[in-house]
Every structure is written in C-alpha cells, then in structure tokens.
C-alpha cells in the first residue's frame, strides 16, 4: 500500500465499551485469584490484566478503508480506488454488487451461508457489515465480507449502491 494514497473512507473496528467490560471482569478475576499474595499484588495484577487486554483488543482492531491509488501489482490501475480490509487490499474495479448485512445477515454470511473462499474481515463486537461480490475472473474469491458500523458511507466510498 502506498503511504501517500489519498484516503476516501476509514474506520477502525475498535471494541465497544461493552467489550472493554470483559477486560474489567478478567482483571477482577485475576485480582481475586492472586489475592492470596496480598492486596497490593491483587490490585496491580488486576489493573495490569485489564489494561493489557483492552490495549491488545484496540491494537489488533483492523482498519477498513478506501484509498485513491496504490500499488498496481494488485491488478488495479495506479490511480484506481482500493478497498483495504485488515491486511488485504483489492481494487474497487474488481468488485461488483454490494449487499448490506444486518446482525442476522452477517451471522448467516460467516456461518451457515459462508463460502470458505470468501475473504472475511470480522470482529464480534461489530454487528453489521457488507458483502461485496468479486467480479475479477482471475480472483478465486467470490466475495468479501467486511464488518462495518457505517455501511452506507463505505458503499458510497466504493462508488456502489447497496442492496
């Protein structure tokens, strides 16, 4: 990816506040488990686990973005838009129809209705997403399933209409 590629859309799939409460519960459990070694040790261990888990969740949250231009080695024109979902990149020209997925649709798309060849960028704390068909005949991936909290804006950045 070119670091100079103009940004059209960007969204980090950061954990929700509710997800961070799980970190607090893990910290409390840790504090309880090490309380045998004293109150100070329990507090330090509990805080360390809480902060560590929350930091890890934030640091590993993927970014979904659309950029103008980039590396033509991915099959797109040098000035074409590209969809980035986590570490994967695809030229927007290689994409077709977009389907907005609510919580049930997303569950179906990555569960019983999944195609093992799909590219999936998912975080459990994001309840919706989009499925974008891949129309490039050279690409064996039938579609990309990408979690997003803002499907309308992502679809607009791709220059598509949602269905």
């Amino acid at each position: 990816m070119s670091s100079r590629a103009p940004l059209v859309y960007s969204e980090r799939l950061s954990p929700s506040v509710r997800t961070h409460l799980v970190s607090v519960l893990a910290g409390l459990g840790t504090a309880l488990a090490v309380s045998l070694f004293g109150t100070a040790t329990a507090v330090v261990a509990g805080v360390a686990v809480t902060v560590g888990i929350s930091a890890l969740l934030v640091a590993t949250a993927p970014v979904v973005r659309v950029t103008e231009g980039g590396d033509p080695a991915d099959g797109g024109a040098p000035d074409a838009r590209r969809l980035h979902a986590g570490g994967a990149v695809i030229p927007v020209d290689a994409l077709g129809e977009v389907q907005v997925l609510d919580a049930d649709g997303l569950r179906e798309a990555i569960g019983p209705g999944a195609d093992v060849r799909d590219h999936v960028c998912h975080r459990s704390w994001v309840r919706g997403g989009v499925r974008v068909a891949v129309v490039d005949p050279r690409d064996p991936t039938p579609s990309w399933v990408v979690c997003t909290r803002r499907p309308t804006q992502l679809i607009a950045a791709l220059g598509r209409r949602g269905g």
Side-chain angles (χ1 to χ4, degrees), residues 11-82:
E11 174 185 12
R12 178 174 286 278
L13 302 180
S14 298
S16 64
V17 172
R18 194 152 131 211
T19 304
H20 286 292
L21 291 177
V22 173
S23 302
V24 172
L25 290 175
L28 289 172
T30 301
L32 182 63
V34 299
S35 64
L36 296 169
F37 302 106
T39 304
T41 304
V43 169
V44 168
V47 168
V49 166
T50 299
V51 170
I53 291 173
S54 286
L56 185 65
L57 289 173
V58 170
T60 61
V63 176
V64 176
R65 63 184 181 276
V66 177
T67 59
E68 289 281 353
D71 185 2
D74 62 17
D79 59 343
R81 285 191 176 181
R82 286 168 169 74

Side-chain angles (χ1 to χ4, degrees), residues 97-100 130 151-152 155-156 160-163:
E97 183 181 328
V98 180
Q99 176 187 7
V100 175
V130 295
T152 306
I155 292 167
R160 302 290 193 276
R161 287 188 283 172

Side-chain angles (χ1 to χ4, degrees), residues 124-148:
S124 61
W125 49 78
V126 180
R127 302 284 186 222
V130 295
R131 172 180 268 166
V132 188
V134 176
V135 296
D136 184 346
R138 300 168 296 169
D139 192 337
T141 307
S143 64
W144 279 34
V145 178
V146 180
C147 281
T148 178

Side-chain angles (χ1 to χ4, degrees), residues 84-130:
H84 305 254
V89 182
I90 190 167
V92 171
D93 296 342
L95 300 174
E97 183 181 328
V98 180
Q99 176 187 7
V100 175
L101 302 171
D102 60 7
D104 291 333
L106 183 60
R107 192 175 308 113
E108 176 70 20
I110 62 174
D115 186 323
V116 296
R117 299 170 299 156
D118 284 346
H119 171 72
V120 178
C121 181
H122 174 258
R123 287 298 181 264
S124 61
W125 49 78
V126 180
R127 302 284 186 222
V130 295

